[in-house]
Amino acid sequence: MLSKPSTGTTTITMGTVEPHGFSPGRRDADAGAMFVLESKGSGMMFYFVICVQTAINTGVGIGCILLAGESLQIMYTSIYPDGPLRLYQFIAMVTVVMILLSQMPSFHSLRYINLASLILSLGYSFVVVGACIYAGYSKDAPPKDYSLESSKSARTFSAFTSISVLASVLGNGILPEIQATLAPPAAGKMLKGLIMCYTVVMVTFYSTAITGYWAFGNKASSNILKSLMPDDGPSFAPTWLLGLAVVFVLLQLFAIGMVYSQVAYEIIERKSADVRKGMFSARNLLPRLLLRSVYMAACAFVAAMLPFFGDINGVVGAIGFIPLDFVLPMLLYNKSVKPPRTSLTFWINVSIMFVFSGVGLMGAFSSIRRLVLDANRFKLFSNDVVD
């Protein structure tokens, strides 16, 4: 069920706490917040988790739509360099598909899409790695510069921004919701899923990042397809190969966007749906069609208006994934399992909380700083995505 690599501390801690504070077999859309409530979390903590999860899920939805639209635009401009279509039009195309897919009723409806997502992730990575190696060894290979920023303060801010981006890429803000769909005992099943996810991440994320950086140096774009198909010259790899990569990444982004949006849909529909009526009755179908379409349209509007892909990743990672994946699980473990204050476990958890709270604060500051700096070269509904 896991569509992207997830943070190990969350899964392992939840698996340990579950017998102490989490009712088996819950099916809450906001299971993360319910988990906090049942783990003796305060009312403020409950609403904090709701807000953080909502920010994460919405941020991921916006990022998926933006990246999918940019990928379509890259392929289009490679074939038609002077074509009239602009980025917001590709975002609109992607949004239509997302709205259609959003009508799948529940997490369970996405099980086959998630399997396809795993296969597509592997396929995309293999294609991109091959394209980067081809580009790096070609006679027209781009010049490579591996130097860092000259200013020490700029390097420090970039390091914390990078940590935030990594948290966004490797984290998962809906693990409680996934665990809530599993038959108890769920901890062992989640751990197996975690092992599979990190096996996939070693093969996909790191192979793509290493070969992309090797081929293009510090000029590598956050969307490596943009580096492989530059606006000001020919592609660095065969067009058919890059076209295949675009297809893979589009389908993968549809799957990720659908999984993360399900939490928002189910929270919204808790008030709008009538459980006494059938899932496909007019009473439930019409509100679902309207509310889900409006939600996806709102995400698309923000993606088109503010195309800051890398910066969005950094902010979401700093204020969302880091506290949710590294700070909160340790806090809940200490509150629920209650290890002795003199034990090594207690102080390791406290240390992780303090260290990652600091990292999150610095990451938020550096990511917002970068967002402000990038705003100087940005205009609303720009045709270029700011890395």
Side-chain angles (χ1 to χ4, degrees), residues 8-328:
T9 52
T10 309
T11 300
I12 295 170
T13 304
M14 278 184 55
T16 307
V17 175
E18 180 184 34
H20 296 265
F22 194 44
S23 300
R26 291 198 70 104
R27 293 296 180 268
D28 293 291
D30 54 347
M34 295 305 301
F35 174 68
V36 173
L37 190 64
E38 295 188 8
S39 296
K40 305 177 182 63
S42 66
M44 288 298 293
M45 183 68 75
F46 175 83
Y47 290 108
F48 169 75
V49 173
I50 284 284
C51 292
V52 169
Q53 279 196 310
T54 301
I56 287 175
N57 295 336
T58 305
V60 171
I62 293 170
C64 286
I65 292 173
L66 176 57
L67 187 55
E70 184 191 24
S71 298
L72 276 179
Q73 182 195 37
I74 291 169
M75 178 55 68
Y76 175 78
T77 54
S78 177
I79 299 172
Y80 303 105
D82 300 319
L85 296 182
R86 299 180 62 80
L87 177 62
Y88 70 87
Q89 292 170 301
F90 293 106
I91 288 176
M93 296 176 196
V94 170
T95 305
V96 170
V97 178
M98 295 284 274
I99 288 174
L100 294 175
L101 291 175
S102 71
Q103 302 312 312
M104 291 186 175
S106 65
F107 263 131
H108 189 64
S109 308
L110 300 173
R111 59 194 184 280
Y112 298 118
I113 288 182
N114 282 300
L115 176 60
S117 172
L118 171 63
I119 297 170
L120 290 167
S121 181
L122 292 169
Y124 169 77
S125 297
F126 291 149
V127 169
V128 168
V129 167
C132 288
I133 293 173
Y134 181 93
Y137 281 116
S138 69
K139 59 182 178 65
D140 298 321
K144 303 177 182 66
D145 181 7
Y146 302 112
S147 63
L148 300 176
E149 294 164 297
S150 57
S151 168
K152 186 176 180 180
S153 60
R155 290 198 301 270
T156 302
F157 285 126
S158 295
F160 281 105
T161 301
S162 299
I163 292 172
S164 300
V165 171
L166 282 173
S168 180
V169 170
L170 303 180
N172 193 317
I174 56 173
L175 282 177
E177 287 71 26
I178 294 172
Q179 182 160 329
T181 66
L182 300 177
K189 299 171 186 176
M190 289 295 291
L191 186 58
K192 291 177 182 177
L194 178 70
I195 293 171
M196 183 189 73
C197 283
Y198 274 107
T199 301
V200 172
V201 79
M202 293 302 294
V203 175
T204 56
F205 283 85
Y206 288 106
S207 61
T208 304
I210 291 170
T211 53
Y213 186 70
W214 169 78
F216 299 100
N218 55 24
K219 301 299 182 184
S221 173
S222 59
N223 184 350
I224 196 64
L225 293 175
K226 197 170 183 178
S227 297
L228 289 165
M229 291 185 282
D231 295 333
D232 54 355
S235 300
F236 289 111
T239 302
W240 67 267
L241 186 66
L242 298 175
L244 187 62
V246 169
V247 172
F248 283 161
V249 76
L250 277 176
L251 296 176
Q252 165 75 349
L253 288 167
F254 288 147
I256 294 174
M258 287 303 98
V259 169
Y260 273 83
S261 298
Q262 283 298 321
V263 178
Y265 297 155
E266 293 191 30
I267 292 175
I268 293 170
E269 289 163 12
R270 177 173 294 177
K271 298 295 184 182
S272 66
D274 186 346
V275 295
R276 296 169 296 180
K277 303 289 185 180
M279 185 180 296
F280 297 102
S281 65
R283 168 63 182 80
N284 289 330
L285 184 61
L286 293 177
R288 182 171 72 238
L289 179 63
L290 176 64
L291 293 173
R292 295 189 180 196
S293 299
V294 169
Y295 176 82
M296 292 309 311
C299 289
F301 180 78
V302 175
M305 183 174 65
L306 304 169
F308 292 91
F309 179 68
D311 295 344
I312 288 175
N313 263 340
V315 173
V316 170
I319 68 174
F321 284 106
I322 287 179
L324 204 61
D325 286 347
F326 292 99
V327 179
L328 189 62

